[in-house]
Amino acid sequence: MQSMERSAQDIDELRAHFGHERIVVLGHSFGASLAMTYAASYGDHVAGVVYLDGVGVGDWRTAYHEERARRITPHQDARLEDLTGRPRTRAEEIEFRALSWFTDHADRERAMEWAYASASVDLPINFAANRALGAVGRASDEELKASAATIRSRQILILRSTLKFELISERRLSCWIHGGGGLWGRCRSA
């Protein structure tokens, strides 16, 4: 069965297979949460963590859906709805992916171009695995904070699509974990 723990175990098995004592784990979106899960579970084997546009703590979905609605036209939204939940031709699959992904790009002028470039790669999306991981449920904010508190790596790089980045010190991470107002909140000077 797919789970965060099983996926983290898979990463550690790959680390061991390739003969690395310690690795830097990097993840984007869902993968950022997986990178944090791995770092919390296998800390002795983690040299650093790169958390790129992860879902994080708190209600990120509301802002995401509001921004998506602002960026997609009614025609694009109707076409995406038409393509959803039915068998698609190869060309329709590419269009479906591009329409699903283009709103995620910060550069709005090139967003569709980049989404089509990604969508045109002939690799399947494992929708069954995505559903299984979604069914497991997202950890609560308190569970995420508790998990982050166990990470022993001294190097955690947080990247956001706004092109901001921060190297989070142990003190900053502790401040975030213990309610310091988020990564760009009251702990900013730490």
Side-chain angles (χ1 to χ4, degrees):
M1 179 170 136
Q2 285 295 121
S3 69
M4 291 293 278
E5 293 74 22
R6 177 63 212 167
S7 295
Q9 183 181 352
D10 289 345
I11 293 170
D12 199 58
E13 289 174 11
L14 287 168
R15 177 207 54 80
H17 172 80
F18 288 109
H20 299 291
E21 182 60 32
R22 293 169 46 109
I23 59 173
V24 174
V25 287
L26 177 146
H28 169 260
S29 189
F30 166 80
S33 297
L34 179 56
M36 293 292 257
T37 298
Y38 178 81
S41 300
Y42 297 91
D44 291 341
H45 298 293
V46 175
V49 179
V50 179
Y51 183 92
L52 176 60
D53 276 332
V55 294
V57 174
D59 177 21
W60 58 271
R61 287 181 176 89
T62 299
Y64 171 80
H65 289 295
E66 287 171 354
E67 185 62 18
R68 182 187 174 282
R70 197 172 69 73
R71 292 180 179 204
I72 196 167
T73 69
H75 174 75
Q76 290 167 330
D77 199 33
R79 179 63 178 152
L80 181 58
E81 182 65 31
D82 176 57
L83 294 168
T84 301
R86 66 169 176 84
R88 296 180 285 273
T89 66
R90 175 72 184 129
E92 287 175 329
E93 180 63 23
I94 291 170
E95 182 183 13
F96 170 77
R97 292 176 184 192
L99 287 170
S100 297
W101 299 340
F102 86 95
T103 59
D104 292 344
H105 292 283
D107 184 335
R108 295 176 73 186
E109 291 184 22
R110 300 194 61 198
M112 191 60 80
E113 170 193 346
W114 291 340
Y116 265 100
S118 296
S120 298
V121 174
D122 194 21
L123 294 173
I125 297 173
N126 191 335
F127 290 105
N130 290 346
R131 279 191 302 278
L133 287 167
V136 170
R138 187 170 101 69
S140 71
D141 288 354
E142 292 310 310
E143 290 169 325
L144 288 170
K145 289 177 182 181
S147 178
T150 67
I151 296 173
R152 295 184 292 272
S153 173
R154 299 180 68 88
Q155 302 290 323
I156 300 176
L157 182 63
I158 308 291
L159 296 166
R160 300 284 183 189
S161 61
T162 57
L163 302 180
K164 293 180 182 177
F165 70 91
E166 287 191 57
L167 184 60
I168 305 301
S169 68
E170 288 178 83
R171 181 170 170 246
R172 291 275 330 263
L173 183 61
S174 177
C175 185
W176 172 68
I177 290 165
H178 299 294
L183 291 175
W184 286 278
R186 292 192 316 261
C187 295
R188 188 171 190 90
S189 64

